[in-house]
């Protein structure tokens, strides 16, 4: 580990929220805690059932979703939907209502449906998750300058960034890893990790790779870059010199509602 130098962390957050960003964030916060003032359901006697379908749905950020809430009550009051998500169209039958929810941006939203039947209220809950695996993971060819390699890895079009871990490996060895937990934006993002690295003679000709991992409550999505080879070790990589050189690590995050719209347009084209 003596070749891993003291790190200083540089965080640049560019254009984090464009118009509407704070409103979206307020909505997302509300989506996490709508259960507090929910009607109490009777669990001992269940004279009728309430179902929401599907109970779980994973979508790409910005998509819309249909949920169908039905019950066995012959004369239901409702169904009523409690959600922080934006509402779209509604379709109704005698004992069911189908709700459209628009522009799902929050990583995880719970949607509650309540039906009251002869004075008794029962509910059902569905969860909607929004995520987008990276479009690409690209490691630039390492550049040797002043005895150090600059490694730069780009992870594009990824969401939610807060669940992303970017790791650099040289051969089998992890040389740097960083999670982006502190980023909680509701837009797709491009992430660039920059790392200055002193290669050891024994690592010569080993490939360097960059790995992106989204860890989504149990669902793990991985992507990796093409390997790059380091041809020469860094002249400065001896134990005496290493302590006097500070490595610079930086994460550059670019998020944009504008290019999310462009992306969704591209997706909807035939
Ligand atoms: C909603 O669910 C009910 C009960 O399962 C079903 O009869 C109805 O066709 C569904 N509506 C839609 C729009 O899927
Ligand atoms: C993100 O990266 C992609 C691919 O390199 C590029 O086309 C896009 O413009 C980038 N978006 C932003 C907001 O920089």
């Amino acid at each position: 580990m003596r070749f891993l130098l003291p790190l200083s962390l540089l965080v640049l957050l560019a254009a984090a929220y464009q118009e509407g960003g704070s409103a979206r964030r307020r909505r997302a916060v509300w989506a996490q805690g709508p259960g507090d003032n929910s009607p109490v359901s009777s669990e001992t006697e269940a004279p009728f059932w309430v179902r929401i379908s599907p109970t779980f749905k994973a979508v790409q950020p910005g998509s819309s979703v249909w949920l169908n809430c039905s019950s066995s009550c012959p004369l239901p009051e409702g169904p009523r939907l409690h959600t922080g998500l934006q509402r779209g169209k509604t379709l109704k039958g005698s004992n069911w209502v189908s709700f459209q929810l628009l522009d799902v941006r929050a990583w995880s939203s719970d949607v509650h449906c309540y039906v009251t039947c002869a004075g008794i209220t029962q509910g059902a809950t569905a969860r909607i998750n929004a995520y987008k695996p990276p479009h690409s993971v690209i490691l630039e060819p390492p550049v040797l300058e002043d005895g150090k390699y600059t490694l730069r890895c780009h992870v594009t079009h990824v969401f939610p960034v807060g669940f992303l871990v970017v790791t650099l490996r040289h051969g089998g060895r992890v040389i740097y890893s960083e999670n982006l937990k502190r980023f909680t934006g509701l837009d797709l993002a491009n992430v660039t990790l920059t790392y200055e690295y002193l290669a050891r003679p024994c690592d010569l000709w080993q490939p360097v790779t960059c790995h992106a991992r989204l860890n989504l409550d149990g669902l793990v999505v991985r992507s990796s870059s093409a390997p790059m080879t380091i041809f020469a070790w860094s002249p400065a990589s001896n134990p005496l010199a290493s302590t006097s050189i500070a490595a610079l690590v930086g994460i550059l995050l670019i998020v944009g509602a504008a290019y999310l719209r462009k992306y969704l347009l591209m997706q909807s084209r035939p």
Side-chain angles (χ1 to χ4, degrees):
M1 288 305 270
R2 67 157 65 103
F3 295 96
L4 285 183
L5 301 172
L7 314 175
S8 74
L9 211 58
L10 171 70
V11 176
L12 294 173
L13 185 57
Y17 286 97
Q18 302 188 342
E19 13 63 76
S22 58
R24 271 203 303 279
R25 188 163 29 179
R26 272 198 302 279
R27 219 188 305 142
V29 168
W30 160 234
Q32 282 156 15
D36 305 332
N37 51 1
S38 44
V40 181
S41 61
S42 142
E43 281 179 2
T44 42
E45 45 192 301
F48 69 106
W49 50 257
V50 177
R51 263 202 293 263
I52 193 162
S53 164
T55 50
F56 176 79
K57 182 102 181 147
V59 299
Q60 298 226 341
S63 309
S64 60
V65 172
W66 282 92
L67 293 178
N68 184 342
C69 183
S70 53
S71 77
S72 61
C73 179
L75 278 171
E77 269 174 61
R80 299 179 308 279
L81 210 64
H82 282 215
T83 174
L85 295 167
Q86 194 184 325
R87 307 276 283 266
K89 292 179 196 137
T90 303
L91 294 173
K92 273 194 171 78
S94 59
N95 61 348
W96 58 268
V97 178
S98 228
F99 299 93
Q100 188 188 29
L101 299 170
L102 303 171
D103 195 27
V104 179
R105 298 286 192 107
W107 138 245
S108 191
S109 316
D110 281 346
V111 178
H112 307 275
C113 174
Y114 297 105
V115 174
T116 303
C117 193
I120 297 170
T121 298
Q122 299 221 104
T125 301
R127 173 160 292 182
I128 302 173
N129 285 358
Y131 75 93
K132 166 79 181 57
H135 174 251
S136 59
V137 180
I138 297 165
L139 182 65
E140 287 182 12
V143 176
L144 180 61
E145 202 181 336
D146 296 336
K148 286 169 287 173
Y149 279 100
T150 299
L151 304 177
R152 189 164 285 134
C153 177
H154 305 280
V155 181
T156 63
H157 287 193
V158 62
F159 182 85
V161 182
F163 291 69
L164 182 68
V165 179
V166 184
T167 303
L168 292 167
R169 286 174 173 272
H170 191 182
R173 199 161 62 90
V174 171
I175 54 179
Y176 186 70
S177 186
E178 176 155 0
N179 71 56
L180 288 92
K181 272 193 186 125
R182 61 194 181 281
F183 298 110
T184 54
L186 293 180
D187 288 310
L188 284 181
N190 284 356
V191 176
T192 299
L193 174 77
T194 305
Y195 186 69
E196 288 193 348
Y197 175 54
L198 297 176
R200 303 185 299 190
C202 60
D203 288 332
L204 273 192
W205 299 100
Q206 298 266 24
V208 179
T209 46
C210 178
H211 305 260
R213 194 179 80 229
L214 273 177
N215 201 339
L216 307 160
D217 282 353
L219 169 70
V220 179
V221 182
R222 292 169 207 273
S223 345
S224 306
S225 71
M228 289 289 157
T229 306
I230 282 182
F231 298 103
W233 72 87
S234 316
S237 69
N238 66 68
L240 285 175
S242 66
T243 50
S244 61
I245 300 170
L248 179 73
V249 183
I251 287 274
L252 174 66
L253 180 67
I254 298 178
V255 294
Y259 92 97
L260 171 70
R261 279 194 283 277
K262 202 165 77 191
Y263 166 79
L264 289 170
L265 267 177
M266 268 158 45
Q267 291 283 299
S268 58
R269 248 172 238 159

